[in-house]
């Protein structure tokens, strides 16, 4: 198999959670302590059969994105402490939402060193279980997509996301429904 045909390795995608605020983001790596973090795009489909066809026509009309995770509780890991705080306080709504950035470390950006293609979205963090594995504490849950992803770049040194076409680093604002 040629190097260009190599299967991507999981360590080539770095995931970051904003453990700060929307106004002053502080992105922490979801790395040490996470034993799994898997993306599920979950395509939403519709189908229709016309009178002149035998089979239904199917189409994708949306996504219900989520990313289930399992992790050890390690206090020195900022992303894990952020999630543990959500679990301990049973936070809901906007209190359990933050920015999530997926960085393709195997896809460098043209802007320079330490900058890579990335996707940013708002996620709601739901913790479903706190676990005891022979005396070691852990938890599992899911990052639920709140917004569509925004394409851009992420600098792993400065930990800043820049939306595609943006002149300066930017962050997403949680999309609120319009008042009626």
């Amino acid at each position: 198999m040629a190097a260009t045909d190599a299967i991507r390795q999981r360590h080539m995608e770095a995931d970051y959670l904003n453990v700060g605020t929307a106004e002053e983001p502080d992105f922490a790596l979801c790395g040490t302590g996470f034993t799994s973090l898997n993306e599920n795009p979950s395509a939403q489909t519709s189908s229709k059969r016309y009178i002149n066809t035998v089979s239904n026509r199917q189409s994708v009309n949306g996504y219900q994105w989520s990313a289930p995770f399992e992790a050890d509780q390690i206090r020195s890991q900022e992303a894990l402490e952020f999630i543990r705080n959500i679990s301990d306080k049973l936070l809901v709504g906007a209190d359990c939402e933050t920015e999530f950035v997926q960085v393709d470390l195997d896809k460098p950006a043209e802007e320079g060193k330490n900058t890579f293609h990335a996707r940013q979205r708002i996620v709601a963090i739901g913790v479903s279980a706190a676990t005891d594995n022979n005396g070691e504490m852990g938890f599992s849950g899911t990052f639920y997509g709140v917004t569509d992803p925004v394409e851009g770049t992420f600098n792993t040194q400065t930990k800043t996301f820049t939306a595609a076409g943006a002149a300066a680093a930017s962050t997403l604002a949680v999309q609120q429904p319009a008042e009626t």
Side-chain angles (χ1 to χ4, degrees), residues 82 86-87 90-99 122-127 142-144 146:
F82 185 84
I86 290 170
S87 176
L90 302 176
L91 300 178
V92 298
D95 293 336
C96 68
E97 294 177 0
T98 193
E99 294 160 295
I122 301 295
V123 296
I125 300 172
V127 179
T142 303
F143 298 157
Y144 297 100
V146 174

Side-chain angles (χ1 to χ4, degrees), residues 35-169:
T35 56
S36 70
L37 177 56
N38 299 306
E39 182 177 13
N40 292 329
S42 298
Q44 304 297 297
T45 62
S46 62
S47 65
K48 181 176 258 185
R49 187 174 66 81
Y50 293 106
I51 62 171
N52 65 331
T53 63
V54 174
S55 301
N56 283 0
R57 294 179 76 153
Q58 297 183 63
S59 63
V60 174
N61 55 22
Y63 291 89
Q64 189 171 342
W65 185 94
S66 65
F69 66 88
E70 291 185 11
D72 295 325
Q73 293 185 27
I74 302 175
R75 289 196 185 274
S76 63
Q77 296 297 311
E78 290 179 281
L80 295 174
E81 271 299 283
F82 185 84
I83 295 168
R84 193 184 60 74
N85 182 60
I86 290 170
S87 176
D88 287 354
K89 294 180 180 177
L90 302 176
L91 300 178
V92 298
D95 293 336
C96 68
E97 294 177 0
T98 193
E99 294 160 295
F100 178 67
V101 179
Q102 297 170 283
V103 182
D104 298 321
L105 298 175
D106 57 347
K107 196 172 179 183
E110 295 178 17
E111 288 86 42
K113 193 175 182 180
N114 302 318
T115 304
F116 303 90
H117 174 264
R119 295 162 309 288
Q120 180 188 46
R121 71 178 80 231
I122 301 295
V123 296
I125 300 172
V127 179
S128 55
T131 58
D132 177 354
N133 185 16
N134 293 323
E136 294 182 339
M137 297 299 295
F139 44 52
S140 60
T142 303
F143 298 157
Y144 297 100
V146 174
T147 62
D148 287 338
V150 173
E151 298 284 322
T153 58
F154 188 83
N155 185 298
T156 56
Q157 187 171 15
T158 62
K159 295 183 181 175
T160 53
F161 176 81
T162 303

